[in-house]
Amino acid sequence: MDTPHVIDRFVERHLGLLETERQAEIDEVVRLARELPEDELERRGVMLRRLVVADLEPGLGGRTMVILENSRGGPLPAHRFGPGDVVALRSQRSDAKAEVDGEASGVVAAVKHDRLVIALDDEDAELPPLVRLDRVAPDVTFKRMVAALKALRGEFRGPAKAIRAFVFGGDDRVREEPAERPASRALAWFDTKLDASQCDAVTFALDAPPLALIHGPPGTGKTTAVVELIRQAVKRGERVLACAPSNVAVDNLVERLARAGVRIVRLGHPARLLPSVREHSLDALVEAASDPKIYRDLRREMQVLQRRMQNARDKASRIEARNALRDLRDEQRRMEEATIRGILDSAEVVATTLTGSADTLVSRREFDLVVIDEAAQAIEAGCWIALLRGKRAVLAGDHCQLPPTVVSVDAERAGLGETLFERVTYTLHGSLRTRMLTVQYRMHETIMNWASQAMYGGRLVAAELVKDHRLRDLPGVVSTRETEAVMVLIDTAGCGLEESVGDADGSKSNEGEARIVVRHVEALIEAGVAPADIGVITPYNAQVQFLRVALAAYRRTGDDGLESQRLEIDTVDGFQGREKEAIVLSLVRSNDDGSVGFLAESRRLNVAVTRARRHVAIVGDSATLANDPFLAGLVEYAQAVGEYRSAWELLG
């Protein structure tokens, strides 16, 4: 096999696909901005108008934090901005024409009901008195994936030589079944509760240079196995780079490794990290290692200068304040350099997103092992950003759940949606490189068996603790028809509850079906099931918005102020990686044509159903669903082993 040509073809093809995807992202943002009026953009929650700069504060690493509030006072309008979103801050006149000009960009650091905190990209940005906030398509990830692909070509001398050879066929020896090292079979487990399949996967991954896969179906303790793998590698003296496509997945690993006593450093913008892991971030560790009085005084001086620069009445005063502020930032960074080197040198594990592994703090270092969690949700080019840093790699994930998000239909069809995890599984001797976890700890056996038969070759086994648990077993929950049932099919066929024609984005809703969902949710709550233990899932954004209004009474923050106590309603994508005691699934599609749209994506249904621990209610039109073999199989299974109800029962 001519490896250079194989790699060149792969790189050129994927560079083209990435460019197509990037252009599709840009076109979508431009389309919305051009075609939709500001009122509609604000209604959709992707833009906020007439915000004022309430204050400026110095952030970690010398960043400038701007606090935005409603110019009219009170809470902000409903919106979809969240921590980590890339945004543009633009000038907006208060007159009716609302002229908008580009001003600054940043990252959402914090969201409260009456304010947003933005970490500015440009430390010296001058902000207008009245601001419009727009979500924008970031290009950093795109540029870093392109750079990683280009690095694969030519004469390769990086630490990932063996990984590259395996994936692209440069050395047939690395494709063979890894030889077992008997000594590793006598591992002393950190987590003594691991099941046999988890132990086998960890042992295999430790012994399988250069690449191994851990396949973790829903609820099988994939992250538990990954944490054990990393701890065992650290015990052997290996330096580990732990990555995932999303910040949430990385933070989940950091939380668990930190609790286990692993010396871990979390790289990444503090605005994108969960509060529970910020103490392990590089910024926080640097600040903690610095002289507290000097650091505190420095930040106080910086805040004074930031405010002076923002409020300066003349150009000379503004320039004077900016220059003084730059001097203080330079001083802060000089103080931090040696501290940063020491922190990273002593770390056993460095954790970051795939994109974050392109940071020079990582790219200048070599790692014995690269671990990528949720690898089946990552575009392959993104995986290579991290893989180039290590000698060996382990990919953990589940290619039977949702794939990575690809905006461009053309790019997805041409192969951008195929992940490295899938390629190894299906085309690169995956059976020799993969270990599947088979004991699941989430679902009642009835729910699990559908997923096991439909997606996992019937190999899953329910742990004793969960195989027969029901809603009725929860504290404060009484035994009713709803809390006794594990799987319920509420059939809307023949009830005249047809789907909508779709909104401007083609997203559909079903008002009649939503009424059924509301009735079932209310019955669960009346039986004592806490709203926070219920998740309502639907594949369509339009139905999500409709249901959020219909069930608003159960989504309000409680008297204790905790939003975590609310009923959650979201798309399938929004619930991936999550679980609830009860899931109510609204499938929406009901039409004479038998069209099911993207419900035909089996992985989407797999994710939706397997979010449930004790109870899943599927609301849909069996006549429409019967036109797709996979959906028909779900309906038949629910009718055979679950409880069947006609929607007429709830409409009466």
Side-chain angles (χ1 to χ4, degrees):
M1 184 181 295
D2 193 341
T3 303
H5 286 91
V6 170
I7 295 176
D8 287 346
R9 287 196 298 270
F10 172 85
V11 170
E12 290 306 317
R13 178 166 163 263
H14 275 72
L15 287 175
L17 295 177
L18 285 175
E19 181 58 40
T20 300
E21 172 69 2
R22 172 62 180 158
Q23 192 58 52
E25 292 179 356
I26 295 172
D27 291 347
E28 178 62 13
V29 173
V30 172
R31 182 188 70 83
L32 290 176
R34 287 179 176 174
E35 296 181 4
L36 299 179
E38 288 188 0
D39 287 345
E40 177 63 17
L41 290 172
E42 193 162 35
R43 187 189 70 79
R44 294 188 181 202
V46 296
M47 183 264 283
L48 285 172
R49 293 180 291 176
R50 299 181 178 88
L51 304 176
V52 292
V53 177
D55 202 0
L56 293 169
E57 297 178 349
L60 294 174
R63 297 178 180 88
T64 296
M65 315 296 287
V66 56
I67 299 172
L68 300 177
E69 295 181 351
N70 194 332
S71 62
R72 299 167 181 169
L76 297 172
H79 60 82
R80 296 170 61 185
F81 292 99
D85 285 347
V86 180
V87 294
L89 294 81
R90 298 185 168 110
S91 173
Q92 181 170 51
R93 293 208 319 241
S94 58
D95 59 48
K97 293 183 180 180
E99 180 181 333
V100 178
D101 299 303
E103 290 290 342
S105 62
V107 175
V108 178
V111 179
K112 297 184 178 180
H113 75 284
D114 61 346
R115 63 178 54 190
L116 290 171
V117 181
I118 311 296
L120 295 180
D121 293 332
D122 181 359
E123 300 162 346
D124 300 325
E126 297 176 17
L127 300 175
L130 203 62
V131 174
R132 162 179 157 173
L133 195 69
D134 293 273
R135 181 179 289 163
V136 298
D139 62 356
V140 173
T141 299
F142 168 77
K143 290 178 179 178
R144 290 181 172 183
M145 286 194 290
V146 167
L149 288 174
K150 290 181 178 179
L152 283 171
R153 296 187 298 198
E155 188 175 350
F156 190 84
R157 295 178 179 176
K161 185 176 181 180
I163 300 173
R164 176 178 177 267
F166 169 75
V167 173
F168 295 106
D171 188 343
D172 290 336
R173 291 174 299 173
V174 300
R175 293 172 176 273
E176 298 171 359
E177 177 82 49
E180 292 186 3
R181 293 200 293 269
S184 68
R185 292 295 171 186
L187 286 173
W189 301 106
F190 290 101
D191 187 345
T192 57
K193 296 181 180 179
L194 294 176
D195 62 58
S197 68
Q198 290 171 321
C199 291
D200 179 57
V202 172
T203 303
F204 175 78
L206 286 169
D207 290 344
L211 185 65
L213 270 60
I214 297 177
H215 180 196
T220 55
K222 171 180 59 64
T223 303
T224 298
V226 170
V227 167
E228 180 71 26
L229 166 70
I230 293 173
R231 295 178 72 184
Q232 292 289 346
V234 167
K235 182 181 177 181
R236 299 200 312 193
E238 298 185 359
R239 297 199 68 220
V240 180
L241 176 63
C243 299
S246 70
N247 281 289
V248 172
V250 177
D251 288 348
N252 186 31
L253 277 177
V254 172
E255 283 181 333
R256 299 183 59 173
L257 288 167
R259 284 200 302 267
V262 175
R263 293 196 307 276
I264 188 166
V265 178
R266 171 67 159 102
L267 300 185
H269 199 303
R272 293 188 170 101
L273 313 187
L274 293 176
S276 58
V277 305
R278 284 179 188 160
E279 65 179 291
H280 305 290
S281 71
L282 180 62
D283 297 78
L285 292 170
V286 168
E287 184 171 353
S290 305
D291 185 300
K293 184 178 185 306
I294 294 176
Y295 216 84
R296 186 169 57 250
D297 291 346
L298 189 62
R299 293 183 67 173
R300 187 182 296 117
E301 290 182 57
M302 290 170 66
Q303 184 171 25
V304 169
L305 289 170
Q306 284 173 336
R307 291 171 176 169
R308 186 182 301 169
M309 187 178 73
Q310 180 67 19
N311 298 324
R313 295 182 178 276
D314 59 80
K315 185 176 181 180
S317 299
R318 189 160 49 247
I319 292 174
E320 181 184 0
R322 179 188 294 129
N323 290 338
L325 186 57
R326 285 174 176 170
D327 289 341
L328 289 180
R329 289 194 184 112
D330 289 342
E331 181 182 346
Q332 180 181 354
R333 286 165 183 150
R334 283 194 298 271
M335 290 169 52
E336 294 173 347
E337 283 181 5
T339 305
I340 289 172
R341 284 197 300 272
I343 289 171
L344 290 176
D345 288 344
S346 64
E348 296 170 326
V349 178
V350 174
T352 183
T353 59
L354 294 173
T355 302
S357 61
D359 191 295
T360 54
L361 293 172
V362 177
S363 62
R364 294 172 182 171
R365 296 171 180 266
E366 291 187 7
F367 295 85
D368 300 295
L369 177 65
V370 175
V371 177
I372 302 179
D373 197 12
E374 305 297 353
Q377 294 179 44
I379 290 174
E380 178 166 348
C383 288
W384 281 109
I385 301 174
L387 293 176
L388 292 173
R389 318 300 174 206
K391 302 172 184 176
R392 297 186 301 114
V394 175
L395 310 182
D398 180 13
H399 55 289
C400 299
Q401 296 188 58
L402 288 177
T405 299
V406 177
V407 175
S408 168
V409 175
D410 291 338
E412 183 174 27
R413 288 174 178 169
L416 190 62
E418 183 185 36
T419 65
L420 179 59
F421 195 97
E422 289 176 288
R423 282 219 297 138
V424 174
T425 299
Y426 293 128
T427 63
L428 298 174
H429 299 270
S431 61
L432 303 181
R433 292 283 157 179
T434 305
R435 290 297 182 269
M436 178 174 160
L437 307 181
T438 56
V439 182
Q440 73 83 26
Y441 302 88
R442 175 188 301 164
M443 294 166 275
H444 186 286
E445 195 170 39
T446 298
I447 302 171
M448 179 208 71
N449 280 337
W450 170 77
S452 181
Q453 295 168 17
M455 306 296 293
Y456 303 104
R459 295 177 62 189
L460 300 185
V461 177
E464 286 295 324
L465 286 174
V466 303
K467 65 182 299 183
D468 196 37
H469 64 181
R470 300 169 188 255
L471 290 177
R472 68 180 183 203
D473 302 323
L474 292 171
V477 176
V478 299
S479 179
T480 66
R481 185 181 182 188
E482 286 76 17
T483 62
E484 287 282 348
V486 174
M487 179 174 275
V488 180
L489 174 66
I490 304 176
D491 191 359
T492 65
C495 297
L497 308 181
E498 293 195 352
E499 66 194 48
S500 69
V501 294
D503 61 16
D505 293 327
S507 186
K508 296 183 179 294
S509 61
N510 190 318
E511 182 178 350
E513 187 172 292
R515 293 202 306 271
I516 302 297
V517 171
V518 171
R519 298 278 179 86
H520 191 74
V521 168
E522 288 177 340
L524 293 175
I525 293 174
E526 287 170 5
V529 182
D533 286 334
I534 303 172
V536 178
I537 302 179
T538 179
Y540 293 94
N541 277 310
Q543 187 77 339
V544 168
Q545 301 306 319
F546 195 92
L547 285 166
R548 284 178 175 173
V549 173
L551 289 164
Y554 305 109
R555 300 189 65 251
R556 299 192 185 108
T557 303
D559 295 336
D560 55 9
L562 296 177
E563 293 189 359
S564 60
Q565 301 306 309
R566 304 186 307 172
L567 170 73
E568 292 188 64
I569 304 169
D570 212 334
T571 60
V572 182
D573 302 59
F575 264 97
Q576 175 140 319
R578 310 278 308 287
E579 62 182 63
K580 291 286 185 179
E581 301 293 351
I583 289 293
V584 183
L585 177 58
S586 173
L587 296 181
V588 176
R589 303 310 298 263
S590 179
N591 53 74
D592 294 335
D593 299 330
S595 175
V596 297
F598 66 94
L599 286 184
E601 168 58 86
S602 59
R603 292 176 291 187
R604 180 163 273 105
L605 263 293
N606 181 37
V607 170
V609 173
T610 58
R611 299 311 92 197
R613 287 174 50 80
R614 303 168 188 260
H615 173 94
V616 59
I618 302 162
V619 186
D621 183 339
S622 63
T624 299
L625 301 177
N627 289 276
D628 177 82
F630 188 82
L631 292 168
L634 174 60
V635 169
E636 291 169 4
Y637 179 86
Q639 288 175 325
V641 305
E643 183 174 334
Y644 174 87
R645 300 180 196 173
S646 170
W648 285 116
E649 295 181 41
L650 285 83
L651 291 172

